[in-house]
Amino acid sequence: MQREEKQLEASVESLISRVAHVKNALHSFIYKLENEYERLTWPSVLDNFALLSGQLNTINKLLKNEKTPSFRNQVIIPLLLSPDRDEDLAKLTEQRVPVFSHEIVPDYLRTKPDPEVEEQEKQLSAEAARIGPEVAQKQIQTLNKLCSNLLEKLNNPRDDRDAESAAMRQNKPSFNPADTNALVGAVAFGKGLSKCRPPGPVAPGHPGQGPMMSGGPTLQQVTIGGGSNQQAAMGGPVPPQQQGQPGTDELEEQNQTSCLVYLEERDKCGFRLFHETHINHASEGALGVGKKGGAVCLPGAHSFHSLRKL
Amino acid sequence: MEAPPVTVMPVTGGTINMMEYLLQGSVLDQALESLLHRLRGLCDNMEPETFTDHELVYLLKGQQGNPFILRARRSLSHPTSPWHLRYLGQPEVGDKSRHSLVRNCVDVAASHSLPEFLNEMGFRMDHEFVANGHIFRKGAMKIVVTKLSRILVPGNTENTERLSLSYLGGAECVGSCRPGHCVGGHAQLC
């Protein structure tokens, strides 16, 4: 009798200490989850779970130990229930159970499962009784076979397995190097994306279309609108320059890119003069002014120049 | 009013030299799902974002050598967002052991009149495409998986056809220029 009592006490003591370990591990894990949420990595979460699982395992082993008396034979009966606060109890339970009253007894001294769980268990046992012993036996055997297969695969590392997985990976290629080159070329310099237009000497008639990439430098003619398009004091309104005019042929021969700019000037009498000038991008590293055909550009000239379309 | 004197001089000072570090690869369509799963796990934890962008590449041809290239990009899924104008320099050749592409980059936002402005400046649009896909983030790195589509009718972004049966994956990082220090990240693309 006494030996059993001593055993009971010892096992309860060790059980209490194991459960305290689990409680501490849970406490730190919850703290980490709630406060260090951003810094938490999956491997450390897995570590915490592994720790808890290990501790539960030791508790299981302790309970299965033959030195441990069967706790089912022990009964706990509350001797005194009072709605008053019990300081000792509060200190013992870290303020979680301050009062040993009628409300806490069903939860803390429970021996039967919850009503919902009891319902589910009843359903499961009814189901099991329904299917009959042979079917049940067959199901048990299939389950055992699956588990043993899996265990064998996990426990015996086979070299064939690496070869198998390598072969599987080779059979299903995940990228195509030609595609890589095509895509990178398309993003980097528009390979396969440039609009195909038959190359020709005449500049495209519509503004805003792409230049021809193939072949040599092509002509671009741009009008700079805005402030420089001022109305002539003497002439009619300045017609906007259109591309594709016959005058472009001469420019193409010169093979330059140029912009059309209207420069305004005042002569001695204060009359405003307008010059049509071409600004060439190439001349002497700075924007220069070139001559084209009949349009004479002489800054400071004292004569009128009529506006001409190029 | 006299025409103001125009000179061509480089703009100096006032900018930080930003370098872009880029790695690119591609995956076939059937491998896209697993790539997205892996990226979801490897990258920062956020809701996966998709994007649909229309990029136009503008060229300014001068007589001397290489044309000047500017890239203008706008979002088709957020039409009111500003345009994004980007200049990318020549790739830096140096460290052979460095796998990523390093080049100078300048990024600015622009209003919706950007194409007309570039046309007036003398740029001509060379090519355009539509890119849509997924975007992830890992620290300072931006990881994108995009599907590129060719625009069949210029200016019409509805009528597109895919360039290839693969998705282009890229990891890029923009940082300030520090010699000898590569801010490239590791992104294993399948």
Side-chain angles (χ1 to χ4, degrees), chain A residues 22 57 70 97 114 119 145 166 175-176 188 200 221 241 247 255 271:
Chain A
V22 175
N57 255 344
S70 169
V97 187
D114 289 344
E119 266 303 310
K145 209 178 353 172
F175 71 99
N176 180 1
Q221 203 168 29
Q241 176 63 27
N255 237 1
F271 282 104

Side-chain angles (χ1 to χ4, degrees), chain A residues 29 32-33 35-49, chain B residues 41-45 138:
Chain A
F29 189 29
K32 244 194 266 189
L33 279 177
N35 296 340
E36 299 172 14
Y37 174 61
E38 293 95 29
R39 282 199 300 278
L40 212 53
T41 64
W42 181 237
S44 84
V45 169
L46 279 181
D47 284 341
N48 283 100
F49 277 121
Chain B
L42 285 169
C43 299
D44 286 350
N45 186 19
K138 173 96 181 152

Side-chain angles (χ1 to χ4, degrees), chain A residues 74-78 109:
Chain A
Q74 317 289 333
V75 177
I76 301 182
I77 314 175
L109 301 182

Side-chain angles (χ1 to χ4, degrees), chain B residues 16-21 103 105 140 173-178 183:
Chain B
I16 306 172
N17 215 15
M18 299 297 272
M19 309 294 284
E20 178 202 52
Y21 298 80
R103 46 195 183 177
C105 85
C173 183
V174 176
S176 53
C177 178
R178 267 190 290 172
V183 190

Side-chain angles (χ1 to χ4, degrees), chain B residues 52-69:
Chain B
T52 309
D53 282 353
H54 173 209
E55 177 157 331
L56 303 91
V57 178
Y58 284 88
L59 280 190
L60 180 67
K61 280 184 163 284
Q63 268 221 342
Q64 58 275 51
N66 300 335
F68 185 74
I69 301 178

Side-chain angles (χ1 to χ4, degrees), chain A residues 31-191:
Chain A
Y31 179 83
K32 244 194 266 189
L33 279 177
E34 284 184 354
N35 296 340
E36 299 172 14
Y37 174 61
E38 293 95 29
R39 282 199 300 278
L40 212 53
T41 64
W42 181 237
S44 84
V45 169
L46 279 181
D47 284 341
N48 283 100
F49 277 121
L51 177 66
L52 285 169
S53 147
Q55 285 170 338
L56 286 172
N57 255 344
T58 41
I59 291 183
N60 268 341
K61 262 194 268 185
L62 181 70
L63 289 173
K64 271 194 250 175
N65 192 1
E66 61 241 356
K67 288 231 183 74
T68 326
S70 169
F71 291 129
R72 280 180 191 274
N73 301 339
Q74 317 289 333
V75 177
I76 301 182
I77 314 175
L79 291 176
L80 176 63
L81 291 176
S82 85
D84 302 326
R85 196 184 154 87
D86 186 358
E87 276 313 314
D88 291 331
L89 184 62
K91 232 188 312 196
L92 206 62
T93 59
E94 294 177 15
Q95 309 301 329
R96 287 183 226 267
V97 187
V99 183
F100 198 72
S101 71
H102 315 77
E103 301 158 342
I104 65 140
V105 166
D107 290 325
Y108 285 93
L109 301 182
R110 175 182 285 281
T111 47
K112 271 181 23 167
D114 289 344
E116 304 96 29
V117 178
E118 244 183 332
E119 266 303 310
Q120 283 182 341
E121 262 213 68
K122 226 192 316 188
Q123 279 181 354
L124 281 175
S125 12
E127 178 86 22
R130 189 174 57 83
I131 60 173
E134 299 95 22
V135 183
Q137 198 61 10
K138 224 185 297 191
Q139 284 186 356
I140 293 175
Q141 279 170 0
T142 336
L143 180 67
N144 283 340
K145 209 178 353 172
L146 281 172
C147 289
S148 53
N149 267 349
L150 201 59
L151 276 171
E152 181 201 316
K153 279 222 176 85
L154 288 170
N155 287 334
N156 308 333
R158 284 188 298 173
D159 299 310
D160 314 328
R161 229 194 303 147
D162 296 328
E164 285 175 18
S165 44
M168 262 201 1
R169 241 179 281 138
Q170 274 167 15
N171 287 342
K172 283 194 283 184
S174 55
F175 71 99
N176 180 1
D179 274 351
T180 309
N181 288 336
L183 287 171
V184 173
V187 174
F189 41 84
K191 192 160 83 168

